[in-house]
Amino acid sequence: MPHGTYRLQLHKRFTLDDAAGIAPYLAALGVSDCYTSPIFRATEGSTHGYDVCDHNEIGPELGGAGAYARFVAALRAHALAHLVDFVPNHMGISTASNPWWRDVLENGPCSVSARFFDIDWEPAEAPLRNKVLLPILGDQYGLTLERGELHLVFDGGQLELDYGGQRLPINPRQTPMVYRLGLDGLRERPGASDEDVVEFEQILALLQDMPPYTVSTPEAIEQRQRAKDTARQRLGALAARSAAIRAHIDAAVARANGTPGDPRSFDVLHELLEALPYRLASWRTAADEINYRRFFDINTLAGVRVEDPVVFDAIHALLKALIADGLVSGVRIDHPDGLFDPATYFADLRQLAGGDDRAPLYVLAEKILSAGEPLPDDWQVDGTTGYDVLNDIANLFVDGRHSRRLRTIYQRFTGRSDSWRVVCQRSKRLIMDTAMASELSVLADALERLSNASRQWRDFTRHSLRDALVALVACFPVYRTYITMRGWSERDEAVIDEALACARRSNPAVESTVFDFLRGVLLPGGEGHEAQRHFAMKLQQYTAPVQAKGVEDTAFYRYNMLLALNEVGGDPSSAGRTPAQFHAAIQARAAARPYAMTATATHDTKLGEDTRARIAAISERPEDWHRAVGRWARLARGARSAVYGDRAPDRNDEYRFYQVLAGVWPPEPLEAPVPERAPADLVERLQQYMDKATREAKLHTSWINPNKAYDAATRRFVEDVLTGEPAPAFLAQFVPFARRLARAGAANSLSQLVIKVAAPGVPDFYQGTELWDLTLVDPDNRRPVDFEARARLARELAPLVQAARAGSADAAAGVAALLAGWPDGRIKLFTTLAALGLRREHRALFLDGQYVPLDVRAPKGAAAIAFARVLDSATVIAIAPTLTRDLCDDGFAAGECWKDAEIALPPALHGSTLINVLTGERHATDCDDDGMPCVRLAGVLRTLPVALLITYHPESDPGVAGTNPPDLG
């Protein structure tokens, strides 16, 4: 099991060789595993790797197999392992990179690869039967055709269709309609021999006689494959040796391509395109008619039928070899909720890795758990990637006592009073009506067939069934259920009943019996019912992306009360966690999945971990925030514009802007001069962020239908407020508040870091976050990372880390100096190095040790988390203040702020001396009023606002800082 992981985003500007180059730094940092984004061949130019086109080739843009070998060698040289991201749910469908998809487009159901993709070959729309809708055109099909933007190319013995540089295959059985144009004059061409003409005609006959693409028997697939390959080779060879034949083909192709301005000249090309196994269409048709399952609503990512054993074996061949060779020690499975049967998939993955015959494979599921939702018991995984614990940790720094006041401030500023539940339902309905309407239509068709098959329920119309599905999915409280052909769990039944009850309440105009029918389909009684269960399993593949698109990518940008709560898997209507709630959640997680990942930032989080920690601090002083936002809005009034009679940005978007501006304002000392203009790069980042946020909200503008006037007004608002005429007055009011908030946020961040490293699970560090992570949503959080600077700082801090670990009396002064200079981020890197170093040295304690909540007795209004990790005689105590601004306005919680606070310790520590490995300071345990051992926070937190305490043994004290640090226990 890893004891710590470090996540890297690979792409052509940061390759496997680049990753190999930072292996020494990762080892020095203290992690055990380098955790990478997908390494397999992706669409050319991919910036993330999730559009995998070939699972069985290391990405050429990442350096290929040679670079991977060098990468693994570098990791091994520094005792590091490789945890890889794997994408089994979908593939990128670039015809230049994905041979399976190209095969489908060329041969339809009669292709070898047809079984690989989740395609509905029998949709309700007759024109699409046995075809794939290909919504890639920038305009209507007919207009695109008659402008000459679609044209044939003869290359390598076959015809291809070129559209804007993208090459698409042509159904070979229909190509003779082009090759025969002007065929009567072929024999008169100079150099055309009878032998060549006969060969040409025989090839055309071979093409015409191959099985049609609509026949999908194994015999037809084999015969068609053989015939087209033979014809392609023969025609390529013939065209290469006979100039006359090549000239004829070129002339025929030119004639078929038509002449712009002469619509009739495109008749042959149109007839040919209509005979393809795919139907070209405008990209706008995808929402209503697309008939292949996509990843969310992304047309270029097609769902894969990994539940088919042949498909599973095919896409996992290289991964299996990497695991068998010991090159990959762990796998993160991307979006398992998109899979038809996740439990079976994970069981198959374990078998692929050797079952019980090999060392265990570390397997993580990128599963988003909603509040209180457990990970399915039958998933053979070590845990999730950590969004659940991310939200538990983030909520520790949100003062739930002020949640009602925060909501009131938000509602008064924006004029929006809709509850979070209503916002979610409306957002999900919007997605079902637009981006994912086609998938809904497929489900409604299937449900209608089930209805028609029952004499009891056959009178339901397709429209009423569709409405019932929309109502149910809009009310779904989780991403999906996990019904299989084997049955369902009590949890599945409870989720469906909760969603149906909500749907009935929310849709009183819908006939109630349709929900009875829907429940009977999803949870049928008795034996059999294969069709009903198949429908339920397909519905599950729909509810998850609707939840993701409706909540994560829409509602989170509409409901802006406190953005620290708007995180993947989060619930903005539930503000704050008490220490007791946090302890209960962590204990349950440790009991169920002790090796699950603990993350505080990922490539998909909505805010950087330190941005989130800053914004959370707003909750501790809502009145200060209320007054500040009011002042800022008045000063920024002149920067707003009128767009079609409405203000731009609207009050809701403006409220979001102030939060993110406070969250990412550069860290700087309180006493530094206030600038009259914001940094140019910050302005650009915020403009890009607001572009994304307003389009994701889909209220005034969107990606599909941009409102250019609103977009421009919002960008202009950001620029004017930060650099224009209002800027000096605005910044004079804003910057002092932002600086105070930043100090409180920095204290929160250090606490967050200590909790992540010391709590049960495997802590993960997203690239670059060992210094302050003041980033926003992607692409902002995927900017280049300066690893050289981080490595240099780590080397400089190493002696201080060792001194603190050894209990040197000189260490505290050095740590205090780092804290005084907190804006440069070194204090966070130092804490990371010290905490991970302790974890690496005592791996078993942190992986398998008991989690013991400790009672914190603090003044009213303040809160801190404290817990012990105990294994045999070894003990580590973590202390992390969470709500501190009632004690210390600057957030650093100096020792005097905690003069009346104490933490009760395990009885075994009675009379012990403790060393804070973050400062080197030694602390004698005291006794509380009940005679139980305790430690006073005024002493423990006098230098640094967090602590990691271990027991000190005088007999092991070397008397020299940095050598032979004392052991635990």
Side-chain angles (χ1 to χ4, degrees), residues 940-959:
V940 172
L941 303 181
R942 64 172 173 248
T943 300
L944 191 66
V946 289
L948 280 172
L949 305 177
I950 64 173
T951 51
Y952 166 64
H953 294 278
E955 65 272 13
S956 64
D957 188 348

Side-chain angles (χ1 to χ4, degrees), residues 262-306:
D262 180 5
R264 295 298 301 273
S265 67
F266 293 96
D267 287 352
V268 172
L269 181 56
H270 171 65
E271 183 181 355
L272 176 66
L273 298 183
E274 288 293 279
L276 299 177
Y278 55 91
R279 183 182 183 189
L280 289 166
S282 163
W283 63 274
R284 294 181 180 276
T285 66
D288 293 322
E289 294 188 347
I290 203 162
N291 62 329
Y292 59 88
R293 181 172 60 88
R294 300 168 291 173
F295 175 69
F296 297 172
D297 59 345
I298 304 174
N299 298 339
T300 55
L301 296 178
V304 175
R305 297 185 62 250
V306 75

Side-chain angles (χ1 to χ4, degrees), residues 489-741:
S489 68
E490 291 182 3
R491 172 73 182 175
D492 293 329
E493 186 171 358
V495 166
I496 288 172
D497 283 339
E498 180 183 345
L500 284 170
C502 169
R504 292 177 195 270
R505 291 193 308 270
S506 304
N507 299 271
V510 176
E511 184 183 352
S512 179
T513 55
V514 74
F515 295 117
D516 297 333
F517 165 65
L518 195 49
R519 189 185 193 282
V521 169
L522 298 175
L523 302 170
E527 300 296 325
H529 304 293
E530 287 80 7
Q532 287 88 339
R533 290 189 183 177
H534 186 272
F535 173 82
M537 294 175 76
K538 297 304 293 183
L539 176 64
Q540 292 170 156
Q541 289 181 290
Y542 183 68
T543 61
V546 169
Q547 182 86 351
K549 293 299 297 180
V551 177
E552 291 178 31
D553 293 344
T554 305
F556 275 166
Y557 292 95
R558 293 182 169 191
Y559 191 85
N560 300 333
M561 183 185 79
L562 185 69
L563 298 185
L565 301 171
N566 293 24
E567 199 49 85
V568 179
D571 180 359
S573 68
S574 177
R577 298 280 192 281
T578 66
Q581 290 171 326
F582 178 81
H583 288 315
I586 293 299
Q587 286 176 307
R589 189 172 189 259
R593 311 276 179 168
Y595 308 123
M597 183 173 278
T598 304
T600 47
T602 78
H603 59 289
D604 281 334
T605 41
K606 302 300 181 184
L607 294 171
E609 61 182 40
D610 300 322
T611 308
R612 189 187 316 118
R614 268 195 199 180
I615 294 175
I618 291 172
S619 69
E620 295 193 69
R621 294 289 180 86
E623 299 308 325
D624 290 352
W625 170 253
H626 185 205
R627 289 189 293 271
V629 167
R631 289 194 298 269
W632 302 341
R634 288 190 293 273
L635 292 168
R637 186 181 296 118
R640 293 189 287 268
S641 307
V643 175
Y644 307 123
D646 295 323
R647 56 184 289 160
D650 74 4
R651 296 282 279 185
N652 198 36
D653 290 334
E654 185 178 357
Y655 199 74
R656 170 176 286 270
F657 168 72
Y658 294 139
Q659 289 184 64
V660 296
L661 177 61
V664 300
W665 186 260
E668 51 198 10
L670 289 173
E671 63 277 5
V674 174
E676 294 193 348
R677 300 286 185 272
D681 65 325
L682 178 65
V683 174
E684 183 178 359
R685 288 173 57 208
L686 286 164
Q687 286 178 320
Q688 291 174 351
Y689 173 80
M690 291 302 294
D691 267 349
K692 178 164 184 169
T694 54
R695 292 189 183 194
E696 295 284 22
K698 307 171 187 69
L699 291 170
H700 301 287
T701 182
S702 70
W703 298 110
I704 291 178
N705 188 20
N707 180 341
K708 294 182 179 179
Y710 190 87
D711 295 342
T714 302
R715 291 181 66 87
R716 192 164 53 248
F717 172 81
V718 174
E719 184 173 12
D720 286 353
V721 165
L722 297 179
T723 65
E725 184 177 342
F730 176 86
L731 294 177
Q733 290 292 321
F734 169 79
V735 171
F737 179 94
R739 287 175 178 170
R740 292 193 300 274
L741 187 71

Side-chain angles (χ1 to χ4, degrees), residues 37 396 480 701 822 964 966:
S37 58
L396 282 172
R480 63 169 280 178
T701 182
W822 68 271
N964 300 322

Side-chain angles (χ1 to χ4, degrees), residues 39 43 48 75 107 130 169 223 308 312 376 429 536 553 623 710 837:
I39 61 172
T43 301
H48 47 76
L75 294 186
N107 302 294
N130 288 311
Q223 183 181 349
D308 183 328
F312 181 93
R429 283 177 174 272
D553 293 344
E623 299 308 325
Y710 190 87

